[in-house]
Amino acid sequence: MTRDIFQPSGQIQFGIFFQGVNSGTIWKADESGSQTDFESFRHIVQTAERGKFAAFFLGEGLRLREHLGRPHALDVVGRPDAQTMLAALAAVTRNIGLVATQNTTYNDPADLAHRLSSLDLISGGRAAWNVVTTDNAWTGANFRRGGYLDHADRYKHAEAFVETAKRIWDSWETATGPARHVRHEGQHYTVDVTPRLPRSAQYRPVLFQAGDSPEGRDFAARQADVIFSAHPKFDDAVEFRRDIVTRSVAAGRGANAVQIMPASEFILAATEQEAQEKKAWVRSLQIGPQQAIAYLEQFWGRELSSYDPDGPLPEIDPVVEETSETRGSGFHGAKARQLADQWRAEAKDKGLSIRGFVTSKTARIDSTFTGSYTAVADHLAEYARVGAVDGFNISPWLIPTGLDDIVNHLVPELQERGVYPTEYRGTTLRENLGLETPVRSEESVRVS
Amino acid sequence: MSSNNNQAGFLAIELDGAGYWNLSAAVLAAESAGFHVATFKDAPAAGRVNALQRAAFAGPITRTIAVVPEVDTVYTEPFHISTQLASLDYVSGGRAGWIATAAESPEAAAAVGRAFVEGDVLAQEAAASIEVGRRLWDSWEDDAVIRDVATGRYIDVDKLHYVDFETPADFAGTPYSVKGPSIIPRPLQGQLPVLAAASLVGEGLVPVDAVDAVLVSAPTAELLAAEVRDVRARLGAAVAVVAELDVVLDSRGQDAAARLAASTESGRARFAGTAADLTELLDSLLQEADGVRVHPAEVDVDLEELSRLVLPELRRRGSLRAPIQDGSFRDVLGLGPADNRYSTSAAATAAGK
Ligand SMILES: Cc1cc2nc3c(=O)[nH]c(=O)nc-3n(C[C@H](O)[C@H](O)[C@H](O)COP(=O)(O)O)c2cc1C
C-alpha cells in the first residue's frame, strides 16, 4: 500500500518561533529591540510573510522561571498571551499561519477550543494549536486547580483534551449550524457544551505537537498534523522521520500524514568565515559571564558567583541531589552530583572554561545552521530531497530584525534550487502546508 | 472622576453585531465617526467569537478608539484573563479596557465542569477576579526591564512581585490562590480601566474602588437619566457612569418602527426614531452621564446614520468630546496615571530617599 510508504515532497517550509524568553534571544546588542512592543511583532511577522513563511509561532510559559528562589534575572523574559497577540497579528497579515502554544493542563477544553476556533475564524483559516503538556505543580500555583496532574497522566489527559476539542470543532454540520452537543466525562474534568462556532475556511485549527518522549510521539502520531520536533541535525532528523512514519502508520494514518518541523537557529553571512565570526559574537552575547555561572547554579543548587567564568568548573559539590525543576522540564530530575563529576571531567578533557562549557551545553547548539547563504541552502536542499523534514521552525536570535537576512538571502537561494515556495498556495494554513482536510471526528457521546 | 454636568461626554458603541467577518470595516467606521470606545460582547451565543480576540484584532488597525471586551469572571481563569487583557493593552497601544461580567449561566458552568453559582456569589467571584487581575498588572513595576549590560541583568528582580492572592475567608465560591508574578510586563496603561454593570457594584458586591466605570441600564429611555442620577448618588463621584441605550434609527427609507419589529428585546432602554430625536436624547443624557454606550440594532445601518447625522451635531453643540488621537482609554475616562501598589520607587520617594 503506497499510503504506508513515505514520499518526500521535495520541499521545505519555514516557520518562525518567537521565543520571548530564555537566553537564545540576544538583548545586549545595539540592534536588540523590545520583546513586548507590538511593533516588534508586526515587523517580524511581516518579514516572515514577505519570505513566504508558513507559520508564526508563539510559545507559552505560565509561570516565570526562577533561579535560586527568585525570578531569573539574566535572560529575556515577559511575553504576551499567544492567542491575543495572534489575533492582533491576524489583522496585519494575510497568508501566514498563526500558531499558539497552549497547554492541556491549565486550560479548559471547551474554553480553549472556542478561543482557537475564534482565532481561526478571525484569521480566515490560519490558526493552529501547538499542543504542550505542562504538568509541573509549580505552574499550577497560578491557577485555581493548582498542580493537580500526575506526570504519568499528562498524555492521557492531553489526548482526551484534544479529542474533546476536535469534537467541538467538528460539531457544526454546515457554516451556519446546527451544532451537536459535546459531552466528555473524564477523570480530571467534565465538559458539557453546545459549540457556538462554525467551521473555518480550513475546517478546524491545524494541530502541532511539541514533546519528545515515546508517549509524546505516539500522541502526535495519532492526533497531530505537524510535530515541532527537537531533531534538526540531518542524521537525527532522518531517524526521527523514520520513527514518526512507523508510529503514524501503526496509528492507522498514512506515512505522510504527520509533518515534521524541527526547532532551529540560523547564523548566516556571505561567506563561511564571516558566518563563523558572527557565531562567536552571537554566542558571546547569548551566554555572557553571568549566564554561564547562573547555568551551573541551577545544577549546583547554590550560589557560585565567586567562581571565575573563565576558569575551571567548581570543585565543590552540588547541595541538591535532584536538580531543580524550576528552570524547565528539560532539566528535571538529573542526579546532580553524578552530573557534576561528569561535567568536570568533560570540561577538563576539552580544556573548557565555565563559559566555554556552558556555551557548548546550551540546547540551541544542536539546532544551529551556520554558514554562507549558498552552503546552507545546499544543505537544506538535501533535507528536502530525502524528506528528512517538512520544514524548520526558526528561532531568531535577534528581535525584531532576526529574519531579515534569512528572507533577503537564504530564501531566494532556496527558491532558485526549487525547494522552497515562491508563492503561498492558498490563504489557509492547511492549504499552505499541503495538509489534507481532516476527517470529521467521531460523533457519538463518549464517556471515558 | 467627577460628575460631568455641562462637560462634554464620550460615546461608546457595542460592535457585537458586526460579527467577525465585518469587524475591521465596523471598527474603522466607528473610529472615524468619532466614537471613543468600541465594546465587544461575550455571552455564549451561536456564531459569536471570543470578544477579547475581536478587540485584539481591532487594536492594530485603529489609532484612537478604545477597545473593550467583556470577559467573564466566574468560569474563566483569573491568571489567563489578566495576561490576555495586559496583552490587549500592548496590541492596542494602551487603548484597552475590561467589562468584567459575572455569568449567571448553567451552560457556562457545565462547559468547564464547574458547579453553577448564582446570586451574591457572582459578585464575590467577580471581585476576586478583578483583584487578581489588578495585582498581576502591578506585579512588574514599570521600570522592571532594565537591560543592564554591565551586570548582565535583563530585569531588576526587586521590581517583580509575587501577588500571593488568596480568596477572602468569607468567599462563597471554591477558595483559590494565585502566586504570580505575571508573565508579561505591566500593561502600557499600568492598570486597564475596569467597567462593570452598576447592578454588580456597591455595598456587599464588587467594591466601588475596584472599578473605574459602571454601566447603567433602565427599562425605558425616559427613566435612564433618573437611573444615572440614582447610581451616581449610590456609588459616589469616584466612578464614571455610562448610560446604556439601544438604538434603532429611521434609515434607508425604512422607519425605525418597521426595523424595530425585527430586533430583539434586550432589557435596556430603547430609542427608536429619527436621527434628530436621538441627537436630542443623547444631548440630554450626556448632561447626566459621563458617557453613553449605544447598542445599534444593526451595526452597519445604524452606524452610518450615527456617523452622518448624530455625532457631528453633538460635537457642534459641545456635548460630545473630540476623540484623543493616540490617547489611552484612561484618558477617555479622565483617569490619571495608575499608581502601582508594589512600587519600590514610590516607597523610596515617600521615605525621602
Ligand atoms: C521544540 C519544542 C518546543 C516547545 N515549546 C514549549 C513551549 O513553548 N511551552 C511549553 O510549555 N512547553 C514547550 N515544549 C515542551 C513540551 O510540550 C513537553 O512538555 C516537553 O517536551 C516534555 O514532553 P515529552 O516528555 O513528551 O518530551 C516544547 C518542546 C519542544 C520539543
Side-chain angles (χ1 to χ4, degrees):
Chain A
M1 270 203 339
T2 55
R3 218 177 93 83
D4 289 351
I5 311 233
F6 175 73
Q7 305 280 346
S9 70
Q11 294 279 306
I12 54 163
Q13 306 232 42
F14 285 154
I16 159 183
F17 187 54
F18 187 118
Q19 296 230 22
V21 297
N22 295 341
S23 60
T25 312
I26 293 170
W27 57 265
K28 292 175 191 166
D30 293 341
E31 307 92 303
S32 302
S34 167
Q35 290 293 126
T36 40
D37 282 359
F38 183 71
E39 285 312 311
S40 292
F41 291 85
R42 187 206 297 267
H43 179 99
I44 206 149
V45 77
Q46 290 181 343
T47 306
E49 198 164 72
R50 181 160 61 81
K52 314 288 181 238
F53 276 45
F56 178 89
F57 280 68
L58 288 173
E60 183 196 53
L62 297 174
R63 177 124 185 232
L64 296 187
R65 289 174 309 138
E66 293 188 355
H67 179 65
L68 303 180
R70 306 188 74 194
H72 184 65
L74 303 178
D75 298 338
V76 161
V77 56
R79 56 183 169 187
D81 170 68
Q83 291 203 59
T84 308
M85 178 53 74
L86 295 175
L89 294 179
V92 299
T93 53
R94 297 182 64 84
N95 296 94
I96 195 164
L98 303 165
V99 193
T101 301
Q102 307 269 271
N103 77 83
T104 50
T105 303
Y106 298 107
N107 280 297
D108 290 302
D111 176 56
L112 187 70
H114 179 68
R115 284 190 287 129
L116 285 163
S117 153
S118 294
L119 181 63
D120 208 15
L121 290 166
I122 277 182
S123 64
R126 295 189 280 139
W129 171 20
N130 179 32
V131 185
V132 298
T133 57
T134 313
D135 68 340
N136 55 64
W138 170 73
T139 294
N142 283 334
F143 294 91
R144 274 182 162 117
R145 49 165 78 99
Y148 76 102
L149 194 59
D150 282 349
H151 194 266
D153 277 349
R154 72 202 167 112
Y155 277 112
K156 273 188 255 168
H157 179 80
E159 193 137 3
F161 191 119
V162 167
E163 282 183 3
T164 302
K166 283 182 173 174
R167 287 198 290 135
I168 290 172
W169 293 329
D170 290 350
S171 73
W172 281 64
E173 306 292 332
T174 68
T176 52
R180 290 197 302 266
H181 206 61
V182 172
R183 237 185 107 68
H184 169 91
E185 253 177 72
Q187 191 189 343
H188 298 292
Y189 57 75
T190 303
V191 179
D192 191 342
V193 66
T194 305
R196 285 172 257 165
L197 294 177
R199 293 175 194 171
S200 76
Q202 66 171 352
Y203 196 114
R204 69 182 185 214
V206 170
L207 286 191
F208 286 73
Q209 181 268 3
D212 203 30
S213 59
E215 298 79 19
R217 293 181 186 199
D218 278 335
F219 164 66
R222 284 192 294 268
Q223 300 290 349
D225 298 300
V226 188
I227 298 177
F228 182 4
S229 87
H231 304 279
K233 288 282 175 244
F234 190 82
D235 294 343
D236 201 14
V238 169
E239 178 49 38
F240 186 75
R241 164 74 78 190
R242 194 174 299 133
D243 183 57
I244 293 304
V245 165
T246 307
R247 288 176 201 266
S248 46
V249 169
R253 300 174 73 195
N256 279 68
V258 184
Q259 300 193 351
I260 300 170
M261 291 180 89
S264 62
E265 179 195 56
F266 287 87
I267 302 178
L268 306 171
T271 66
E272 169 70 21
Q273 195 195 331
E274 278 174 71
Q276 290 300 341
E277 284 162 12
K278 199 166 177 180
K279 182 172 173 176
W281 175 77
V282 169
R283 293 287 180 250
S284 73
L285 291 177
Q286 285 171 329
I287 305 296
Q290 297 93 350
Q291 268 102 348
I293 297 291
Y295 182 87
L296 292 191
E297 286 174 341
Q298 292 288 341
F299 292 88
W300 262 254
R302 64 200 298 172
E303 232 239 319
L304 299 171
S305 60
S306 61
Y307 286 84
D308 177 4
D310 296 316
L313 266 58
E315 65 286 354
I316 57 167
D317 270 331
V319 292
V320 286
E321 188 47 43
E322 298 283 322
T323 58
S324 161
E325 67 175 61
T326 57
R327 174 100 184 212
S329 49
F331 295 65
H332 178 49
K335 296 268 182 257
R337 299 230 164 101
Q338 211 174 307
L339 202 69
D341 284 339
Q342 221 173 294
W343 282 6
R344 278 188 286 251
E346 189 182 330
K348 197 167 170 207
D349 212 39
K350 296 181 180 162
L352 293 172
S353 66
I354 289 178
R355 204 168 160 182
F357 180 77
V358 172
T359 301
S360 79
K361 273 292 165 216
T362 36
R364 288 275 199 99
I365 305 303
D366 289 338
S367 57
T368 305
F369 293 89
T370 311
S372 68
Y373 303 119
T374 53
V376 171
D378 286 338
H379 188 39
L380 297 188
E382 186 60 13
Y383 282 76
R385 195 185 61 76
V386 304
V389 300
D390 296 282
F392 293 92
N393 241 321
I394 303 172
S395 289
W397 38 266
L398 203 58
I399 296 296
T401 53
L403 292 184
D404 293 1
D405 64 348
I406 293 172
V407 167
N408 294 338
H409 301 290
L410 181 62
V411 163
E413 293 280 351
L414 292 168
Q415 287 168 332
E416 259 172 48
R417 287 161 179 74
V419 298
Y420 188 92
T422 51
E423 286 303 330
Y424 283 106
R425 270 191 253 191
T427 57
T428 71
L429 177 57
R430 210 175 277 286
E431 280 173 278
N432 287 326
L433 289 172
L435 294 165
E436 283 172 22
T437 305
V439 177
R440 180 188 290 276
S441 76
E442 218 182 295
E443 339 230 315
S444 60
V445 171
R446 202 169 337 154
V447 178
S448 59
Chain B
M1 166 131 220
S2 63
S3 154
N4 80 333
N5 289 342
N6 301 322
Q7 274 178 30
F10 65 86
L11 281 182
I13 183 167
E14 168 55 53
L15 288 184
D16 189 53
Y20 53 87
W21 52 90
N22 216 3
L23 188 54
S24 54
V27 74
L28 288 168
E31 179 168 76
S32 65
F35 279 96
H36 300 79
V37 183
T39 68
F40 302 90
K41 191 174 169 59
D42 209 35
R48 176 180 285 143
V49 312
N50 179 272
L52 201 139
Q53 290 191 32
R54 279 182 285 149
F57 183 91
I61 56 176
T62 50
R63 287 287 297 274
T64 300
I65 197 165
V67 289
V68 184
E70 283 184 359
V71 183
D72 171 52
T73 53
V74 182
Y75 300 110
T76 38
E77 281 290 336
F79 192 88
H80 286 318
I81 297 173
S82 172
T83 316
Q84 289 164 10
L85 286 164
S87 305
L88 179 63
D89 208 37
Y90 280 92
V91 304
S92 64
R95 290 179 283 119
W98 174 17
I99 299 176
T101 58
E104 190 171 353
S105 158
E107 294 79 31
V112 298
R114 302 234 329 254
F116 168 58
V117 297
E118 55 191 330
D120 291 352
V121 189
L122 296 175
Q124 285 199 341
E125 292 275 6
S129 272
I130 294 170
E131 177 66 13
V132 173
R134 288 194 180 282
R135 285 197 206 181
L136 286 167
W137 293 336
D138 278 347
S139 67
W140 291 55
E141 294 184 39
D142 286 324
D143 48 0
V145 175
I146 52 170
R147 294 172 171 250
D148 185 32
V149 177
T151 60
R153 291 179 309 151
Y154 181 81
I155 51 170
D156 177 351
V157 178
D158 292 336
K159 294 189 171 173
L160 258 55
H161 305 275
Y162 293 104
V163 304
D164 286 323
F165 173 85
E166 304 265 355
T167 45
D170 65 350
F171 193 67
T174 311
Y176 66 90
S177 61
V178 175
K179 183 75 188 165
S182 180
I183 50 166
I184 177 172
R186 196 164 188 244
L188 300 178
Q189 294 180 95
Q191 289 280 323
L192 276 65
V194 179
L195 290 68
S199 57
L200 201 61
V201 179
E203 190 83 35
L205 300 166
V206 174
V208 177
D209 59 7
V211 299
D212 299 291
V214 290
L215 300 163
V216 177
S217 272
T220 67
E222 292 69 35
L223 294 173
L224 193 53
E227 186 62 26
V228 165
R229 279 193 295 275
D230 283 357
V231 166
R232 210 189 281 284
R234 179 167 72 85
L235 298 182
V239 289
V241 174
V242 182
E244 297 265 56
L245 186 68
D246 283 2
V247 165
V248 195
L249 286 168
D250 293 351
S251 173
R252 300 183 186 175
Q254 248 202 320
D255 61 58
R259 296 184 54 223
L260 192 62
S263 72
T264 50
E265 209 47 62
S266 72
R268 284 181 295 265
R270 172 145 68 190
F271 170 87
T274 65
D277 288 346
L278 177 63
T279 307
E280 293 305 325
L281 175 60
L282 289 174
D283 192 21
S284 68
L285 281 173
L286 288 167
Q287 306 300 316
E288 300 291 345
D290 299 284
V292 177
R293 176 162 72 146
V294 172
H295 299 253
E298 287 173 275
V299 170
D300 52 342
V301 179
D302 295 287
L303 179 50
E304 193 177 298
E305 300 295 315
L306 286 158
S307 161
R308 254 179 353 109
L309 302 170
V310 179
L311 273 71
E313 176 59 16
L314 288 170
R315 267 197 302 274
R316 200 189 59 74
R317 293 185 189 190
S319 53
L320 184 66
R321 260 186 268 152
I324 313 160
Q325 176 89 21
D326 292 323
S328 68
F329 186 31
R330 295 185 71 85
D331 292 337
V332 172
L333 292 173
L335 301 167
D339 290 338
N340 188 329
R341 75 197 65 201
Y342 301 112
S343 180
T344 47
S345 13
T349 313
K353 286 192 201 161

